Amino acid sequence: MLPPRTGSMKKKIIMTALLTALAVPQLLAVSAKETLAAASYVESGPGVQLSWRQDESGWWYRFPDGSYPCDSWLKANGEWYHFDGEGYMQTGWIEDAGVYYYLSDSGAMLHDTTLELDGTEYSFDASGAASGQPQSELKPVVNGVNMIAEEQKSDVHRAADKMADSIISRITNESMNQRQKAEAVYAWIRGSFKYRNHASATRDWPTEAYQALRRHSGDCYSYYATANLLLSRCGIPCIEVIRSTDADHYWNLVNIDGSWYHFDTTPRSIGGYYCLWTDAQMRSFSARHRGCFEFDSALYPPTP
């Protein structure tokens, strides 16, 4: 169902009809007038400011009865948003019924504007439809692999969490934003670890992080795993990046305020501070240093 283009709003709607329309996308094949009437429900009334919620996986919208939109559009505070099959707000390019839309970092759909994205200029009409298909492949919404539900954690992972919490309490505080916390984690690992050509026996990142925190040393996987752990305790999602040329180097891709950045804490003999780098910075450095940061961009969400 595409965002409606025109239509007037009814002043009153039946709650059941509203929730059905928002929860089941295929039932949204109604007139623009009816759809806009349903959308107006979330723009007024008590508790609207408390409707947006966030957890470790992203933002979602909660209706008064506790339900939430899934795989559908929703208009809130005058802007259109789209939610995936799990109910989380999406960003970036999406395709709906053969039409492409672009959702900003805030989740709001672009419309009535022109914008250059990945080197190509696109126009978005009043409905949000893009003037053409995006040149780059659509990137899936990626949830951080370091965000694991408590009930799914092993005993070793829980022990590592306690060690990490002790560290985080010393190097961060509540006044710091996500970027500052990530930088504090980076500085702590760089200042506390020594590189040793150690190969993890399991390549299980929680176990490797636990062992690395005990010995304060390890190889690139140890650095990656420790960053994964500490960032998770700061509420910062991140995913694993593997060098594409030989699959023999690991680093993190971290999500800071809705944007992804490269985060490699492993030290190099030539020096360098690879904290919150963009794709362009990584590729430029890699080209000058024997492909040290080569990666397959099709496998990861793009950076700014």
Side-chain angles (χ1 to χ4, degrees), residues 94 103 188 196 288:
I94 65 167
L103 309 176
W188 185 87
R196 292 181 180 174
R288 301 194 308 271

Side-chain angles (χ1 to χ4, degrees), residues 277 279-289:
W277 276 21
D279 289 344
Q281 287 176 299
M282 295 293 278
R283 294 198 184 284
S284 176
F285 185 90
S286 183
R288 301 194 308 271
H289 297 89

Side-chain angles (χ1 to χ4, degrees), residues 11-283:
K11 292 184 178 179
K12 295 183 180 180
I13 56 174
I14 300 175
M15 178 69 74
T16 303
L18 166 66
L19 297 178
T20 301
L22 288 171
V24 187
Q26 59 266 34
L27 296 182
L28 287 177
V30 296
S31 69
K33 182 178 180 181
E34 291 171 323
T35 306
L36 279 171
S40 68
Y41 173 84
V42 300
E43 296 186 271
S44 61
V48 169
Q49 297 302 317
L50 301 178
S51 297
W52 283 104
R53 306 295 176 90
Q54 184 182 34
D55 59 22
E56 64 270 20
S57 296
W59 286 94
W60 54 286
Y61 195 97
R62 182 184 185 278
F63 292 117
D65 68 348
S67 64
Y68 51 88
C70 291
D71 196 23
S72 61
W73 291 95
L74 176 73
K75 191 176 186 183
N77 300 323
E79 298 292 344
W80 282 101
Y81 300 85
H82 196 274
F83 299 82
D84 65 19
E86 299 297 323
Y88 288 105
M89 182 192 79
Q90 294 178 273
T91 60
W93 286 107
I94 65 167
E95 183 269 334
D96 190 333
V99 179
Y100 289 92
Y101 302 86
Y102 191 83
L103 309 176
S104 66
D105 290 342
S106 70
M109 179 194 73
L110 296 187
H111 60 89
D112 298 303
T113 189
T114 298
L115 187 68
E116 182 176 308
L117 296 166
D118 299 323
T120 301
E121 186 172 272
Y122 298 90
S123 295
F124 301 87
D125 66 16
S127 74
S131 56
Q133 182 173 342
Q135 298 300 309
S136 58
E137 293 185 24
L138 299 181
K139 302 297 181 180
V141 177
V142 180
N143 293 325
V145 297
N146 63 334
M147 297 303 193
I148 299 176
E150 288 296 322
E151 63 271 16
Q152 297 178 343
K153 293 181 179 180
S154 65
D155 290 340
V156 171
H157 193 159
R158 293 190 180 94
D161 279 349
K162 291 182 180 179
M163 298 169 71
D165 288 344
S166 176
I167 296 167
I168 295 302
S169 68
R170 299 195 304 270
I171 65 175
T172 68
N173 58 65
E174 294 183 357
S175 68
M176 298 170 69
N177 58 32
Q178 282 192 323
R179 177 175 288 271
Q180 291 169 329
K181 289 180 179 179
E183 290 172 341
V185 166
Y186 191 98
W188 185 87
I189 294 176
R190 274 296 190 89
S192 304
F193 275 42
K194 291 184 178 180
Y195 184 85
R196 292 181 180 174
N197 193 15
H198 155 85
S200 167
T202 64
R203 285 310 194 212
D204 171 66
W205 75 259
T207 300
E208 182 60 26
Y210 174 77
Q211 295 173 350
L213 285 175
R214 289 173 60 88
R215 62 177 180 260
H216 283 253
S217 65
D219 63 3
C220 64
Y221 191 81
S222 308
Y223 279 82
Y224 151 76
T226 303
N228 234 17
L229 177 69
L230 295 178
L231 291 168
S232 75
R233 305 310 289 174
C234 292
I236 299 175
C238 60
I239 56 180
E240 176 188 79
V241 182
I242 303 176
R243 186 164 60 203
S244 59
T245 54
D246 57 6
D248 197 33
H249 184 59
Y250 301 81
W251 67 91
N252 308 79
L253 197 64
V254 305
N255 192 293
I256 302 296
D257 298 324
S259 296
W260 293 94
Y261 298 92
H262 295 270
F263 190 91
D264 187 359
T265 54
T266 303
R268 293 183 174 275
S269 59
I270 58 174
Y273 191 77
Y274 321 110
C275 180
L276 304 180
W277 276 21
T278 64
D279 289 344
Q281 287 176 299
M282 295 293 278
R283 294 198 184 284

